[in-house]
Amino acid sequence: MAGLRFSLAGPGRVGSSLASWAVAAGAELVTAAGRGGLADLASAGQELLLIAVPDGALAEVAERLAGRPQAAVALHTSGSQGAAVLAPLRRAGSVPGALHPLKAFPWALPEPEQGRGVFFALDGEAAAQRLSRRLVAAWGGAAGEVPPAARPLYHFAATLAAGGVATLLGAAADLASRAGLPPAVASGYLELARGTVAAALAAAPLPAGPEADAGAAGRASAARAGGGGAVAALTGPVARGDLATVERHLEALRAVAPERLPLALALARETLRQVAARTPLSAGQRALLAWIDDLGSRGPR
């Protein structure tokens, strides 16, 4: 990335992290501006304007930035929106694009190794995608095009993989607390989740490195659908079709946290659906699914 000059609009957790990775790869950060400094941000003559602001602010920020000449390419980091939200920047001389890192940023992650193996969802015209792929290659990530029509579902699935997991871990810790268990149990659940994720990664490693592309990502996805990845890591009484154990679980849940019964039933159905996509359900699994459907139709007692 030597010789690439760029500016950053939105030096928050995501923006500052990606900017740090770019600088570590040889790029030069010319200017960084938060919302209060956008009126003076002009990146004309630079190769890139990186925009990392909340999804809901993108359209407004694009309009504000379009009043001054800007860089040859403008890339935003939103996962839910495509390149078109930056269309106003065309009149400022920029080709709009999208570069979304499929990674959680609970805080700024300036270390460049944090970019290795990360998938980046691209959108935009050829010039925007070329620059995006240069960046991703320099960071050791994997790049693939995610078109606008697919982005809402892509982004929702991302929230399941990140925030959804954290939500479930929080629910598990809360149930342990209600049961009067020691705080160390919550840490144990975190370690359990870590092991499950490690098993899923081992079953179907994601493509990584400068040569990774959408084709490699697609092949890895097919491998996971065929029995690797997260599905291969499924364990527990629901996945085994252990009706007696599941009955005891839900009876205990009904006594302590009945409001979470719909969640438990939905997760159980989804577990069995994923198992069925990989291999025909056993008699025990079919019986469990029928019992869950019957319980769900009757509602919590």
Side-chain angles (χ1 to χ4, degrees):
M1 303 303 296
L4 184 143
R5 301 174 72 245
F6 73 103
S7 288
L8 170 64
R13 293 174 293 181
V14 176
S16 63
S17 298
L18 299 191
S20 294
W21 301 353
V23 169
E28 177 189 351
L29 176 59
V30 179
T31 305
R35 294 286 292 274
L38 293 180
D40 300 320
L41 180 56
S43 56
Q46 300 170 33
E47 198 167 352
L48 169 65
L49 171 60
L50 182 63
I51 303 172
V53 298
D55 292 9
L58 270 172
E60 175 199 346
V61 167
E63 284 288 353
R64 293 178 64 186
L65 291 171
R68 292 162 301 286
Q70 301 294 353
V73 170
L75 298 175
H76 72 69
T77 60
S78 167
S80 65
Q81 300 198 56
V85 71
L86 298 185
L89 284 164
R90 291 185 183 279
R91 64 177 183 264
S94 298
V95 175
L99 175 69
H100 174 253
L102 193 57
K103 183 180 179 69
F105 291 84
W107 46 77
L109 302 171
E111 302 82 6
E113 58 269 20
Q114 291 285 343
R116 292 203 60 82
V118 175
F119 176 80
F120 290 82
L122 313 185
D123 185 44
E125 297 174 16
Q129 293 213 25
R130 279 196 301 270
L131 179 54
S132 294
R133 290 180 186 278
R134 281 179 59 199
L135 289 164
V136 174
W139 297 334
E145 184 174 2
V146 178
R151 283 188 167 247
L153 194 57
Y154 155 81
H155 197 243
F156 172 70
T159 66
L160 291 181
V165 171
T167 296
L168 291 176
L169 285 169
D174 178 63
L175 290 174
S177 176
R178 293 194 192 191
L181 300 177
V185 172
S187 297
Y189 290 149
L190 291 172
E191 188 57 37
L192 183 64
R194 189 203 308 273
T196 300
V197 171
L201 289 171
L206 293 175
E211 301 305 316
D213 58 16
R219 289 189 293 274
S221 177
R224 290 192 294 278
V231 177
L234 285 173
T235 62
V238 172
R240 294 193 300 269
D242 184 347
L243 176 55
T245 298
V246 173
E247 283 183 307
R248 289 195 298 272
H249 286 180
L250 296 188
E251 282 300 321
L253 186 62
R254 181 179 289 109
V256 174
E259 74 281 2
R260 290 201 169 110
L261 275 172
L263 173 63
L265 293 174
L267 288 172
R269 285 195 194 94
E270 179 60 19
T271 295
L272 291 170
R273 188 200 67 78
Q274 292 194 24
V275 170
R278 177 186 179 193
T279 185
L281 295 180
S282 68
Q285 290 165 334
R286 291 195 303 273
L288 174 58
L289 180 58
W291 181 83
I292 288 169
D293 285 342
D294 178 64
L295 184 64
S297 67
R298 288 185 281 116
R301 297 199 303 270

